[in-house]
């Protein structure tokens, strides 16, 4: 029988080799993908072990990216709503399988009675039956309709996450930005993380860029949207991911290990095209959805991850292996950031 090797963090020499590769190759990848700025944080042994910034935050001004530069996390906002949701589950205030309209206190969609069956579990695993977005995006656009019966099919949906957000806000009697700040960001000492734009964020905020490197007009999200509006840095987002191994970091709002296990439980097998290509024993053999997270099944344990893409010119990615206490976060301010991310993960994704 093949000897089973338990998951272990990289050695100091291996980590140094990864860091050397990043320092040498990220500038080249940025040129090839027309990405002006990149910021990366690496987690090892349950803490942020390395962080580095490359390039410029704004192609017009030439202002340099630093590890304090704030990016749009895009869809990496969604797992943060999941953390708040699981806090409420642990407190007995949210049942993952109870219809969300019962918490909302009213119908969310007129003349579509099937939406009354949508639950938090369906929203967190993208089985609400909604499209990703209605025409014109969320509440600013046209009517929202069900494409599939709730619970029947996997269909990635920001609208489903927004529906869950509205129910959670009704339960707590507070908007998401305040809830997340009180329950997550403040306890962790995160000072550059917010679901809404603020003057303080503006000072450190990167600008987005098109796939040719051209400047995109800056967006300023004044209302929280759990599907895409999170502003943060790689280092601060890494500290949020570290809670999957060390939930006690949240103090009185800490999730129990059982609740973290429930959140990261494999809920739904998805197509192999969702697997992330990594080297060595971190190579994915199957992909699943958990509650708010994607999961790659690997010989080193399940890797929790999420990516993000905003039309404002930002691409983001984060992964964390709770069995090893290791992972990384990559934020970029250019539409070419996905290709850059794939090259990085393909080389150092076995963290």
């Amino acid at each position: 029988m093949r000897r089973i090797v338990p998951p272990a963090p990289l050695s100091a020499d291996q980590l140094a080799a990864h860091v050397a590769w990043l320092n040498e190759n990220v500038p080249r990848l940025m040129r090839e993908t027309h990405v002006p700025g990149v910021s990366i944080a690496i987690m090892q042994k349950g803490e942020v072990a390395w962080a580095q910034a490359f390039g410029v935050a704004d192609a017009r001004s030439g202002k340099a990216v630093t590890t304090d530069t704030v990016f749009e996390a895009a869809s990496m906002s969604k797992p943060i709503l999941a953390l708040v949701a699981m806090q409420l589950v642990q407190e007995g205030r949210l049942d993952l399988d109870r219809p969300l309209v019962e918490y909302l206190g009213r119908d969310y969609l007129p003349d579509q009675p099937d939406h009354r069956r949508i639950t938090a579990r369906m929203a967190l695993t993208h089985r609400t039956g909604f499209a990703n977005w209605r025409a014109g995006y969320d509440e600013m656009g046209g009517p929202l309709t069900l494409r599939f019966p709730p619970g029947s099919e996997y269909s990635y949906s920001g609208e489903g996450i927004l529906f869950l957000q509205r129910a959670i806000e009704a339960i707590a009697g507070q908007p998401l930005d305040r809830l997340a700040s009180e329950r997550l960001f403040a306890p962790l000492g995160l000072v550059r993380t917010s679901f809404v734009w603020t003057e303080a964020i503006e000072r450190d905020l990167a600008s987005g860029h098109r796939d040719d490197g051209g400047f995109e007009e800056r967006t300023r999200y004044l209302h929280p949207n759990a599907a895409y509006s999170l502003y943060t840095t790689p280092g601060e987002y890494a500290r949020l991911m570290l809670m999957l191994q060390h939930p006690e970091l949240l103090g009185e709002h800490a999730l129990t290990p059982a609740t973290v296990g429930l959140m990261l439980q494999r809920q739904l097998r998805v197509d192999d095209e969702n697997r992330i290509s990594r080297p060595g024993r971190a190579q994915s053999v199957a992909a699943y959805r958990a509650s708010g997270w994607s999961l790659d099944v690997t010989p080193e344990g399940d890797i929790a991850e999420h990516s993000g893409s905003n039309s404002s010119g930002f691409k983001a990615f984060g992964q964390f292996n709770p069995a090893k206490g290791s992972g990384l976060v990559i934020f970029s301010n250019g539409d070419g950031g996905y290709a850059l991310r794939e090259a990085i993960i393909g080389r150092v994704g076995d963290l």
Side-chain angles (χ1 to χ4, degrees), residues 32-338:
E32 293 174 355
T33 57
H34 306 290
V35 172
V38 175
S39 188
I40 303 173
I42 288 177
M43 294 161 275
Q44 288 285 285
K45 300 179 182 179
E47 61 183 24
V48 178
W50 178 83
Q52 183 65 49
F54 304 84
V56 296
D58 188 310
R60 300 173 306 171
S61 69
K63 181 180 179 181
V65 179
T66 74
T67 55
D68 289 334
T69 298
V70 174
F71 291 75
E72 293 183 25
S75 287
M76 285 173 65
S77 308
K78 295 178 175 73
I80 308 311
L81 178 72
L83 291 171
V84 175
M86 297 311 293
Q87 287 175 325
L88 295 177
V89 168
Q90 184 171 287
E91 294 166 11
R93 302 170 69 186
L94 174 66
D95 186 322
L96 288 174
D97 298 309
R98 181 179 174 185
L100 293 179
V101 293
E102 296 184 16
Y103 297 105
L104 199 61
R106 58 176 175 80
D107 278 350
Y108 189 65
L109 302 178
D111 305 320
Q112 295 187 70
D114 276 357
H115 88 282
R116 297 171 190 154
R117 297 194 286 116
I118 295 173
T119 66
R121 191 186 304 273
M122 293 178 193
L124 290 169
T125 56
H126 297 280
R127 292 180 295 127
T128 59
F130 292 144
N132 190 17
W133 294 111
R134 70 189 82 184
Y137 286 94
D138 55 89
E139 69 268 23
M140 299 179 291
L144 175 62
T145 59
L146 284 165
R147 300 173 62 216
F148 311 108
S152 65
E153 296 188 36
Y154 171 72
S155 181
Y156 187 84
S157 177
E159 291 283 3
I161 293 295
L162 182 60
F163 185 15
L164 175 58
Q165 174 188 333
R166 297 300 184 224
I168 285 174
E169 290 172 331
I171 292 169
Q174 290 182 295
L176 176 62
D177 53 315
R178 195 176 307 159
L179 272 174
S181 178
E182 292 179 359
R183 289 173 166 267
L184 299 172
F185 309 154
L188 292 175
L190 308 185
V191 297
R192 292 179 174 84
T193 301
S194 175
F195 268 108
V196 295
W197 175 89
T198 66
E199 289 285 354
I201 282 174
E202 177 73 14
R203 291 193 295 270
D204 294 318
L205 184 60
S207 298
H209 300 80
R210 299 185 296 273
D211 56 10
D212 63 359
F215 174 78
E216 287 275 13
E217 288 299 323
R218 181 169 290 182
T219 54
R220 296 176 175 88
Y221 304 120
L222 300 180
H223 303 286
N225 189 309
Y228 62 75
S229 75
L230 186 71
Y231 296 98
T232 188
T233 70
E236 293 202 352
Y237 197 95
R239 288 160 67 184
L240 287 161
M241 297 189 87
L242 286 168
M243 285 192 306
L244 301 179
Q245 185 185 41
H246 294 293
E248 70 277 2
L249 293 172
L250 284 179
E252 64 176 305
H253 296 294
L255 299 175
T256 65
T259 301
V260 174
L262 176 63
M263 181 170 59
L264 296 181
Q265 188 178 65
R266 300 175 193 173
Q267 298 278 340
L268 178 70
R269 177 78 181 263
V270 293
D271 292 341
D272 282 350
E273 65 184 21
N274 292 277
R275 292 162 47 195
I276 303 296
S277 179
R278 300 182 184 86
R281 290 173 52 80
Q283 179 62 48
S284 172
V285 298
Y288 283 79
R289 296 299 308 199
S291 294
W293 301 88
S294 296
L295 293 179
D296 268 337
V297 179
T298 82
E300 290 195 318
D302 288 2
I303 296 177
E305 72 210 19
H306 213 285
S307 61
S309 174
N310 274 1
S311 59
S312 50
F314 289 89
K315 297 291 184 285
F317 178 78
Q319 69 174 50
F320 186 70
N321 185 332
K324 295 172 64 177
S326 65
L328 80 166
V329 180
I330 307 168
F331 286 167
S332 62
N333 64 345
D335 279 336
Y338 267 180

